[in-house]
Amino acid sequence: MRDASLRDTAKLLESFLNHELPQLLGELKVKPGERFHSYQTRKVCTGVGPIRLRRAYFRGDQGGRYPIDEALGLHDQYTPAAVQLMCWAGAMDSSFELASETLARFAGLDIPGRQVQRVVNAFGQSAATWMHDRQSEVRQAPVEILNIQTDMTGIPARPEELQDVKGKQPDGSAKTRQIKVGCVFTQSRDTRGHPQRDPFSSTYIAAFCDRTDFAPLLWEEALKRGYATARKTVFIGDGAEWIWNLVNERFSDAVQIVDFFHACEHLYALCRALESNDERTKALFKRWRRRLKNNGLPGILQATAERLPSLGTEARKAAEAEIPYFETHASRMTYRTFRRKGYFIGSGAIEGACRHIVAQRAKLSGMRWSCDGVENVMAFRCLIKSDLFDSYCDDQRKAA
């Protein structure tokens, strides 16, 4: 039934485009030096299936062209509606081949995976540019709390993308390229007073670049979301130095919070250095984790200093290696104060983004990416996950 309906709709569309549309458009605009050459027919893939389109071909000093193709906004043999379906499927399915199957099953379109990939690559940069250049949100009142988070994750890359890239392999080489991901959202409190992310308020960006180039991208995204007038801005990240350099450079007025669960990883490492027995390590960690959550870091550091003289050489080195982490981020670890003010203390939003935007599409078994190729896919995944894909498509239609 569905296939028959699509075929009938395609026939109606074909008849309209070949007979009615030329009359509605009137005389085609001819460029200086151009002249009509012939009528030519080609197969065109639309959102409802393939059709045969008869087009007037003009030739001139600059070559040949089909004015009707330009009027319809065709990309190669695909209409804008088909391009949108291909970009969505190519970005959201786990492979381009699966995207091809999705288009066949749910839209009745027979499009090879390689064609889906070519279209995603052709429009990925325009999607990223649109995301960057779109208008800022218009709000009636300032944002109460704007939450910003960032992190980076590795993407398996082709050998040519890994030249001179330092990594964690025994010989110092790398198998992945690091892509930075940013998330901006607004938050409020639920009925119990706990912080909650406002529905559909999250927007995402992703890019291969260093901190100095990523900082303005994240800052501009925050401005679009109301950073300039927000009553309070909260920035959450792990302990990576590049993150807090970025924050101090672009978001110096923000409340800075180190992800509690990342801090607990370092706390466990400290406890393991102080206690050689596994059971005592776990018991100490359980007590100190509670203390850390209740603004007890000064007491933890004091207790650690008292224990150091009694440790062996290796254990003492391990403990002393953890202490600078807590001293550096002490002001970012007053978790009880943050919770009472209604702030999140975990970076779950950006951790989740690294999984559902990047890993679920680009880190599957056997994948090896070029940086340009994966950035094109990420551009559309960020648009879709930010609930901006429809706005992008609307603007593309208006521009055409």
Side-chain angles (χ1 to χ4, degrees), residues 45-48 78-86 109 397:
C45 181
T46 74
V48 294
Y78 302 106
T79 64
V83 166
Q84 292 169 21
L85 291 173
M86 294 167 74
L109 301 179
R397 282 193 291 269

Side-chain angles (χ1 to χ4, degrees), residues 8-18 46-49 51 79:
D8 289 344
T9 304
K11 288 180 180 178
L12 289 173
L13 179 61
E14 179 177 284
S15 177
F16 171 77
L17 294 178
N18 285 324
T46 74
V48 294
I51 65 171
T79 64

Side-chain angles (χ1 to χ4, degrees), residues 83-137:
V83 166
Q84 292 169 21
L85 291 173
M86 294 167 74
C87 290
W88 179 290
M92 299 309 293
D93 281 319
S94 57
S95 70
F96 294 116
E97 292 304 320
L98 185 58
S100 174
E101 184 176 342
T102 297
L103 293 170
R105 284 182 176 272
F106 298 105
L109 301 179
D110 183 16
I111 304 174
R114 294 293 294 177
Q115 286 296 325
V116 176
Q117 182 179 9
R118 291 188 183 101
V119 167
V120 170
N121 286 335
F123 287 89
Q125 186 56 53
S126 72
T129 299
W130 182 91
M131 182 80 173
H132 178 269
D133 294 343
R134 75 186 194 281
Q135 295 295 313
S136 299
E137 292 181 4

Side-chain angles (χ1 to χ4, degrees), residues 28 169 195 297:
L28 295 172
Q169 300 305 304
L297 180 60

Side-chain angles (χ1 to χ4, degrees), residues 80-81 84-85 87-88 127 130-131 134 200 379-399:
Q84 292 169 21
L85 291 173
C87 290
W88 179 290
W130 182 91
M131 182 80 173
R134 75 186 194 281
F200 308 108
F380 282 110
R381 286 182 72 86
C382 287
L383 273 181
I384 294 167
K385 292 293 187 177
S386 301
D387 199 28
L388 291 170
F389 185 76
D390 289 341
S391 297
Y392 161 75
C393 293
D394 289 343
D395 282 356
Q396 293 297 103
R397 282 193 291 269
K398 293 174 183 176

Side-chain angles (χ1 to χ4, degrees), residues 290-328:
R290 190 181 302 114
R291 291 180 69 177
L292 179 64
K293 202 169 188 178
N294 286 280
N295 289 5
L297 180 60
I300 291 173
L301 292 176
Q302 181 178 350
T304 299
E306 293 171 355
R307 285 170 173 249
L308 286 178
S310 63
L311 298 178
T313 303
E314 293 301 320
R316 182 169 183 169
K317 287 182 178 179
E320 290 176 339
E322 295 295 336
I323 292 173
Y325 171 85
F326 292 101
E327 292 177 337
T328 299

Side-chain angles (χ1 to χ4, degrees), residues 45 146 155 203 327:
C45 181
L146 187 71
I155 292 179
T203 53
E327 292 177 337

